[in-house]
PDB file of all heavy atoms in Angstrom:
ATOM      1  N   TRP A 639      26.296  44.907  -4.426  1.00 97.00           N
ATOM      2  CA  TRP A 639      26.356  46.364  -4.281  1.00 97.00           C
ATOM      3  C   TRP A 639      25.097  47.022  -4.850  1.00 97.00           C
ATOM      4  O   TRP A 639      24.516  47.911  -4.234  1.00 97.00           O
ATOM      5  CB  TRP A 639      27.600  46.908  -4.977  1.00 97.00           C
ATOM      6  CG  TRP A 639      27.684  48.401  -4.912  1.00 97.00           C
ATOM      7  CD1 TRP A 639      28.135  49.159  -3.870  1.00 97.00           C
ATOM      8  CD2 TRP A 639      27.281  49.328  -5.933  1.00 97.00           C
ATOM      9  NE1 TRP A 639      28.034  50.505  -4.170  1.00 97.00           N
ATOM     10  CE2 TRP A 639      27.518  50.634  -5.416  1.00 97.00           C
ATOM     11  CE3 TRP A 639      26.746  49.187  -7.219  1.00 97.00           C
ATOM     12  CZ2 TRP A 639      27.232  51.777  -6.160  1.00 97.00           C
ATOM     13  CZ3 TRP A 639      26.464  50.335  -7.953  1.00 97.00           C
ATOM     14  CH2 TRP A 639      26.708  51.603  -7.425  1.00 97.00           C
ATOM     15  N   VAL A 640      24.667  46.586  -6.025  1.00 97.00           N
ATOM     16  CA  VAL A 640      23.458  47.144  -6.636  1.00 97.00           C
ATOM     17  C   VAL A 640      22.247  46.883  -5.762  1.00 97.00           C
ATOM     18  O   VAL A 640      21.416  47.776  -5.532  1.00 97.00           O
ATOM     19  CB  VAL A 640      23.245  46.550  -8.049  1.00 97.00           C
ATOM     20  CG1 VAL A 640      21.855  46.903  -8.567  1.00 97.00           C
ATOM     21  CG2 VAL A 640      24.310  47.060  -9.010  1.00 97.00           C
ATOM     22  N   ILE A 641      22.128  45.682  -5.239  1.00 98.00           N
ATOM     23  CA  ILE A 641      20.973  45.335  -4.400  1.00 98.00           C
ATOM     24  C   ILE A 641      20.940  46.195  -3.141  1.00 98.00           C
ATOM     25  O   ILE A 641      19.900  46.760  -2.773  1.00 98.00           O
ATOM     26  CB  ILE A 641      21.007  43.834  -4.037  1.00 98.00           C
ATOM     27  CG1 ILE A 641      20.767  42.987  -5.289  1.00 98.00           C
ATOM     28  CG2 ILE A 641      19.980  43.516  -2.949  1.00 98.00           C
ATOM     29  CD1 ILE A 641      20.987  41.502  -5.068  1.00 98.00           C
ATOM     30  N   ILE A 642      22.084  46.297  -2.458  1.00 98.00           N
ATOM     31  CA  ILE A 642      22.145  47.085  -1.223  1.00 98.00           C
ATOM     32  C   ILE A 642      21.875  48.552  -1.506  1.00 98.00           C
ATOM     33  O   ILE A 642      21.156  49.224  -0.754  1.00 98.00           O
ATOM     34  CB  ILE A 642      23.516  46.902  -0.538  1.00 98.00           C
ATOM     35  CG1 ILE A 642      23.680  45.457  -0.066  1.00 98.00           C
ATOM     36  CG2 ILE A 642      23.662  47.861   0.636  1.00 98.00           C
ATOM     37  CD1 ILE A 642      25.077  45.126   0.417  1.00 98.00           C
ATOM     38  N   THR A 643      22.439  49.058  -2.599  1.00 97.00           N
ATOM     39  CA  THR A 643      22.229  50.456  -2.956  1.00 97.00           C
ATOM     40  C   THR A 643      20.756  50.749  -3.218  1.00 97.00           C
ATOM     41  O   THR A 643      20.197  51.727  -2.706  1.00 97.00           O
ATOM     42  CB  THR A 643      23.063  50.824  -4.200  1.00 97.00           C
ATOM     43  OG1 THR A 643      24.455  50.666  -3.896  1.00 97.00           O
ATOM     44  CG2 THR A 643      22.803  52.257  -4.629  1.00 97.00           C
ATOM     45  N   LEU A 644      20.107  49.890  -4.004  1.00 97.00           N
ATOM     46  CA  LEU A 644      18.693  50.100  -4.316  1.00 97.00           C
ATOM     47  C   LEU A 644      17.817  49.968  -3.077  1.00 97.00           C
ATOM     48  O   LEU A 644      16.917  50.791  -2.849  1.00 97.00           O
ATOM     49  CB  LEU A 644      18.242  49.102  -5.389  1.00 97.00           C
ATOM     50  CG  LEU A 644      18.822  49.312  -6.790  1.00 97.00           C
ATOM     51  CD1 LEU A 644      18.370  48.203  -7.728  1.00 97.00           C
ATOM     52  CD2 LEU A 644      18.405  50.674  -7.344  1.00 97.00           C
ATOM     53  N   LEU A 645      18.071  48.951  -2.268  1.00 97.00           N
ATOM     54  CA  LEU A 645      17.254  48.752  -1.068  1.00 97.00           C
ATOM     55  C   LEU A 645      17.416  49.911  -0.085  1.00 97.00           C
ATOM     56  O   LEU A 645      16.439  50.369   0.512  1.00 97.00           O
ATOM     57  CB  LEU A 645      17.627  47.432  -0.391  1.00 97.00           C
ATOM     58  CG  LEU A 645      17.191  46.150  -1.109  1.00 97.00           C
ATOM     59  CD1 LEU A 645      17.684  44.921  -0.356  1.00 97.00           C
ATOM     60  CD2 LEU A 645      15.670  46.099  -1.259  1.00 97.00           C
ATOM     61  N   SER A 646      18.638  50.382   0.077  1.00 96.00           N
ATOM     62  CA  SER A 646      18.850  51.494   1.003  1.00 96.00           C
ATOM     63  C   SER A 646      18.200  52.765   0.482  1.00 96.00           C
ATOM     64  O   SER A 646      17.640  53.561   1.261  1.00 96.00           O
ATOM     65  CB  SER A 646      20.352  51.712   1.236  1.00 96.00           C
ATOM     66  OG  SER A 646      21.019  52.039   0.027  1.00 96.00           O
ATOM     67  N   PHE A 647      18.226  52.970  -0.828  1.00 95.00           N
ATOM     68  CA  PHE A 647      17.590  54.154  -1.401  1.00 95.00           C
ATOM     69  C   PHE A 647      16.073  54.097  -1.234  1.00 95.00           C
ATOM     70  O   PHE A 647      15.429  55.103  -0.879  1.00 95.00           O
ATOM     71  CB  PHE A 647      17.948  54.293  -2.881  1.00 95.00           C
ATOM     72  CG  PHE A 647      17.423  55.538  -3.525  1.00 95.00           C
ATOM     73  CD1 PHE A 647      17.910  56.776  -3.159  1.00 95.00           C
ATOM     74  CD2 PHE A 647      16.437  55.469  -4.499  1.00 95.00           C
ATOM     75  CE1 PHE A 647      17.416  57.944  -3.750  1.00 95.00           C
ATOM     76  CE2 PHE A 647      15.944  56.617  -5.082  1.00 95.00           C
ATOM     77  CZ  PHE A 647      16.438  57.853  -4.717  1.00 95.00           C
ATOM     78  N   VAL A 648      15.497  52.932  -1.470  1.00 94.00           N
ATOM     79  CA  VAL A 648      14.049  52.754  -1.284  1.00 94.00           C
ATOM     80  C   VAL A 648      13.679  52.992   0.179  1.00 94.00           C
ATOM     81  O   VAL A 648      12.657  53.621   0.490  1.00 94.00           O
ATOM     82  CB  VAL A 648      13.608  51.357  -1.743  1.00 94.00           C
ATOM     83  CG1 VAL A 648      12.164  51.070  -1.319  1.00 94.00           C
ATOM     84  CG2 VAL A 648      13.743  51.229  -3.257  1.00 94.00           C
ATOM     85  N   TRP A 649      14.513  52.498   1.092  1.00 92.00           N
ATOM     86  CA  TRP A 649      14.240  52.698   2.522  1.00 92.00           C
ATOM     87  C   TRP A 649      14.247  54.185   2.858  1.00 92.00           C
ATOM     88  O   TRP A 649      13.383  54.662   3.602  1.00 92.00           O
ATOM     89  CB  TRP A 649      15.297  51.966   3.348  1.00 92.00           C
ATOM     90  CG  TRP A 649      15.002  51.975   4.818  1.00 92.00           C
ATOM     91  CD1 TRP A 649      14.336  51.034   5.533  1.00 92.00           C
ATOM     92  CD2 TRP A 649      15.391  53.006   5.761  1.00 92.00           C
ATOM     93  NE1 TRP A 649      14.262  51.395   6.857  1.00 92.00           N
ATOM     94  CE2 TRP A 649      14.895  52.600   7.037  1.00 92.00           C
ATOM     95  CE3 TRP A 649      16.078  54.201   5.669  1.00 92.00           C
ATOM     96  CZ2 TRP A 649      15.094  53.360   8.183  1.00 92.00           C
ATOM     97  CZ3 TRP A 649      16.265  54.965   6.810  1.00 92.00           C
ATOM     98  CH2 TRP A 649      15.775  54.544   8.049  1.00 92.00           C
ATOM     99  N   ILE A 650      15.208  54.914   2.305  1.00 91.00           N
ATOM    100  CA  ILE A 650      15.278  56.350   2.553  1.00 91.00           C
ATOM    101  C   ILE A 650      14.025  57.050   2.023  1.00 91.00           C
ATOM    102  O   ILE A 650      13.419  57.882   2.698  1.00 91.00           O
ATOM    103  CB  ILE A 650      16.548  56.957   1.915  1.00 91.00           C
ATOM    104  CG1 ILE A 650      17.789  56.488   2.672  1.00 91.00           C
ATOM    105  CG2 ILE A 650      16.487  58.483   1.906  1.00 91.00           C
ATOM    106  CD1 ILE A 650      19.091  56.896   2.011  1.00 91.00           C
TER     107      ILE A 650
END
Side-chain angles (χ1 to χ4, degrees):
W639 178 81
V640 168
I641 292 171
I642 294 171
T643 298
L644 291 176
L645 288 177
S646 61
F647 184 68
V648 170
W649 187 93
I650 290 173

